[in-house]
Amino acid sequence: MATSLTTSPAEAAAHLRRGELVAFPTETVYGLGADALQPDAVRRIFEAKGRPADNPLIVHVCRRKQIKQVAARVPPAGQQLLNEFVPGPLTLILPKHDHLPSVVTAGLETVGVRIPRLSRTQSFLEACGTPVPAPSANQSGRPSPTSWEAVEDDLGGRIDCILRGGRTDAGVESTVVDCTTDPVAVLRPGAIPVESLRQVLGTVQGASPEGEAAPRSPGTRHRHYAPSARVRLVDTPSEVAPGEDHAYVGLDAPAQACALGRVHVEEDVQAYAHDLFHIFRTCDEKEIEVIYAQTVSAEGMGRALNDRLRRAAAR
Ligand code: TXA
Ligand code: MG
């Protein structure tokens, strides 16, 4: 299959309405979408990515009133989060609407809903005129794509169209919050820090730095976000072993930079998160064997960053 590239949201949306698979940019990572109301098209998302069928998809819409088409209701805490953070990098888990095909939610009675903030995404969703379930547009298990080129590398020839955009802003995925429980629970830390959620709601479960009280999202059970290189976590760059096929990424500069194949010193946690998946992919292209990655303090975006680092390092 030839994958067409376009910069036109209307053209990309026309592919999707025909039952085809379309990758598109968002402010977090690129997504791989299909028409929620065409179950065969949604099934092809799982095939193209090699995604386990038990891992539910996040449904993307462009307007709040469309939430009624996919969710049965929005509990009060969910409404508060909607008012404060949406559009933006937040996914609300809500009771599912009966009409939404069950392939979208992998048979669950709940549905993840997100309204992205990026204007190109909004134009695309508007032109689609239908809810768009979309996981990250990577081969299952690989780092999420933060550029259209990364989508093409992973899925070129397996999907119908890529809506081109720039490098994504956040570089890590949306924060997933289960709004069907009281208090609400963070299932996946992401681009909106739990501290911001707490400022609005007071109590939020499952996001302590030490571990999670809440049950995880199905998709967070597996090893994830991993490059082919081995990822080793370090507290400080002094733990890095020199080697031409070794790389380092972190906030502190290593003393022995010249003895490493690649060194990425990031300005702050935001920049680190923005660059991480891109660096993973670059290291694979350069045939790096071991990536030493410095963990950061578990606050703000640091929580999502550490989560992605730990998963990439898990074997
Ligand atoms: O930023 C993002 O969220 C990106 C962009 C494309 O929007 N999407 C994304 O989708 O990261 P994906 O499929 O790679 O990750 C979705 C996560 C998975 O861990 C999945 O298990 C969880 O959300 N999830 C989806 N629906 C759920 C549900 N009904 N209940 C619990 N977890 C759910
Ligand atoms: Mg993903």
Side-chain angles (χ1 to χ4, degrees):
M1 170 198 304
T3 300
S4 67
L5 298 175
T6 179
T7 54
S8 156
E11 195 182 317
H15 280 279
L16 185 131
R17 287 196 308 266
R18 286 200 293 272
E20 298 180 355
L21 300 189
V22 179
F24 58 95
T26 79
E27 68 273 30
T28 57
V29 300
Y30 277 69
L32 177 63
D35 178 351
L37 306 180
Q38 299 188 49
D40 285 340
V42 178
R43 250 170 240 125
R44 285 186 50 225
I45 293 179
F46 290 85
E47 282 166 28
K49 282 191 51 129
R51 181 180 179 97
D54 65 353
N55 194 358
L57 306 178
I58 294 172
V59 179
H60 298 69
V61 297
C62 61
R63 291 170 198 284
R64 281 169 199 224
K65 59 177 196 232
Q66 280 180 295
I67 295 175
K68 300 205 271 287
Q69 296 171 14
V70 298
R73 63 193 173 82
V74 181
Q79 195 59 54
Q80 271 178 282
L81 294 178
L82 267 179
N83 294 341
E84 203 67 33
F85 300 107
V86 173
L90 183 71
T91 295
L92 303 180
I93 304 297
L94 302 169
K96 173 186 172 295
H97 196 296
D98 286 345
H99 295 314
L100 186 69
S102 61
V103 58
V104 173
T105 61
L108 295 181
E109 287 306 309
T110 55
V111 60
V113 185
R114 165 154 134 76
I115 305 184
R117 185 171 53 209
L118 190 74
S119 68
R120 180 171 289 258
T121 324
Q122 296 211 342
S123 312
F124 168 65
L125 293 172
E126 179 83 53
C128 287
T130 180
V132 175
S136 50
N138 51 285
Q139 276 291 338
S140 200
R142 295 262 298 145
S144 296
T146 54
S147 67
W148 68 264
E149 291 93 336
V151 177
E152 196 178 37
D153 281 348
D154 267 23
L155 299 176
R158 306 172 65 91
I159 63 177
D160 302 283
C161 176
I162 300 174
L163 173 60
R164 286 174 53 175
R167 281 275 297 277
T168 60
D169 209 23
V172 296
E173 302 83 349
S174 63
T175 304
V176 177
V177 181
D178 187 352
C179 300
T180 66
T181 59
D182 185 12
V184 304
V186 172
L187 303 185
R188 177 179 71 180
I192 295 198
V194 66
E195 290 88 341
S196 309
L197 304 177
R198 290 214 168 103
Q199 266 169 19
V200 173
L201 294 181
T203 319
V204 172
Q205 294 185 66
S208 70
E210 304 79 41
E212 303 105 18
R216 307 286 315 210
S217 278
T220 59
R221 282 197 297 258
H222 313 291
R223 177 166 181 256
H224 243 95
Y225 315 112
S228 308
R230 201 138 21 99
V231 176
R232 293 226 172 112
L233 305 187
V234 294
D235 292 326
T236 74
S238 61
E239 298 165 49
V240 173
E244 252 174 46
D245 52 7
H246 290 185
Y248 168 80
V249 56
L251 295 177
D252 299 322
Q256 72 277 39
C258 51
L260 291 165
R262 300 187 69 80
V263 172
H264 300 270
V265 178
E266 300 293 331
E267 199 137 281
D268 54 29
V269 170
Q270 241 68 26
Y272 193 170
H274 174 268
D275 293 343
L276 181 71
F277 291 146
H278 187 71
I279 290 171
F280 279 173
R281 286 175 180 268
T282 310
C283 285
D284 280 352
E285 279 161 27
K286 306 288 180 198
E287 301 189 339
I288 292 290
E289 295 282 330
V290 183
I291 303 170
Y292 291 93
Q294 186 181 26
T295 51
V296 300
S297 80
E299 57 194 6
M301 184 80 122
R303 221 183 288 262
L305 180 57
N306 282 344
D307 172 82
R308 305 307 187 267
L309 290 175
R310 274 201 304 274
R311 277 167 208 293
R315 288 258 158 184

